[in-house]
Amino acid sequence: MEDFNMTTAKQNVNVEVAGGYNPERVELQQGVPATITFNRTNAQGCLDVVHSTDLGFNTDLPLNQPQTVTVPTDKAGEFSFSCGMDMFFGKVIVK
Ligand SMILES: [Cu+2]
């Protein structure tokens, strides 16, 4: 995870969206407020929406305009997110 700091007790992970998700797998610490910032840098494909029923977000991703979503970390487990047509997938692991 990036930008994690014990004193601020927040965590943010940057995910680049360019023909898929990089990284595809995001690990978060349970109980620490978390955000994921998606930055779509490539117009190819159908990745202009990212959504997750598990994590409760559905966000448009305008090209080169990073979008930050809040991710619940109260429950440990594996949760998926995907593009609007459920063709590209990423995973959030809370532990
Ligand atoms: Cu898609």
Side-chain angles (χ1 to χ4, degrees), residues 55-85:
L55 299 170
F57 61 81
N58 186 333
T59 304
D60 289 333
L61 299 178
L63 201 58
N64 298 314
Q65 292 177 43
Q67 302 293 313
T68 298
V69 300
T70 300
V71 175
T73 57
D74 51 318
K75 276 188 290 189
E78 291 195 4
F79 309 97
S80 65
F81 59 86
S82 63
C83 74
M85 280 147 289

Side-chain angles (χ1 to χ4, degrees), residues 21 45-49 82-88:
Y21 300 107
C46 54
L47 291 142
D48 57 335
V49 171
S82 63
C83 74
M85 280 147 289
D86 298 329
M87 295 162 59
F88 293 96

